[in-house]
Amino acid sequence: ANGFSASCVDVYSKNGTELTDDVLRLWVYLNSSLCWLIRETAGRKNLGGGMLKAEAVDLKPFALLFDFTDMDIIRTLFEEASKISVKPAQEEADSDIHKMIDTIVFDFLGFSVEDRQFIVDMLKRTVDARYTKTINK
């Protein structure tokens, strides 16, 4: 799908363009439970319909590019992810691809097993709370 945005928080490349390692490093981190939780916390949630939006200014205080070294695995994950449909965040967090993304990010950052589970659980609770708040209005 082709998409366009003036929000300056989207990363696009032309169809057929090989993605650089840094773009793939951004992709893997931006699709991790940790980054999703940061977006849930820092993003704008009062837009109606349960929508979450993150402007560049909302993400500016956070590091987004890390020197992940598992580039063959990340490239394979990206290729596999490009073939499947997006699911709701709570379901996606339990998918095999998402768990592998989390493993790369959590291993790199040195999170304990307990910290990893806390982040994923908190993400699910935060998304549920945002959806529930919208539904119960």
Side-chain angles (χ1 to χ4, degrees), residues 33-44:
S33 292
L34 176 61
C35 189
W36 286 5
L37 180 58
I38 290 169
R39 286 197 61 221
E40 284 291 332
T41 304
R44 299 169 191 215

Side-chain angles (χ1 to χ4, degrees), residues 103-130:
T103 297
I104 290 169
V105 172
F106 294 158
D107 283 355
F108 182 84
L109 296 173
F111 288 148
S112 68
V113 172
E114 294 81 15
D115 289 341
R116 296 167 191 232
Q117 191 61 53
F118 177 82
I119 289 166
V120 172
D121 291 345
M122 183 60 71
L123 170 64
K124 291 178 184 178
R125 285 196 305 266
T126 304
V127 171
D128 284 341
R130 178 167 50 85

Side-chain angles (χ1 to χ4, degrees), residues 15-79:
N15 289 338
T17 302
E18 185 171 344
L19 301 179
T20 66
D21 286 355
D22 281 346
V23 170
L24 289 168
R25 286 180 178 111
L26 280 171
W27 176 82
V28 80
Y29 180 70
L30 292 172
N31 283 284
S32 70
S33 292
L34 176 61
C35 189
W36 286 5
L37 180 58
I38 290 169
R39 286 197 61 221
E40 284 291 332
T41 304
R44 299 169 191 215
K45 298 176 263 316
N46 57 348
L47 303 171
M51 189 169 85
L52 173 68
K53 185 173 184 181
E55 296 288 342
V57 69
D58 300 329
L59 297 175
K60 190 173 184 177
F62 303 102
L64 299 177
L65 183 59
F66 296 91
D67 194 21
F68 302 116
T69 56
D70 306 323
M71 296 314 300
D72 290 337
I73 295 169
I74 292 170
R75 190 171 298 280
T76 300
L77 286 172
F78 176 83
E79 289 168 7

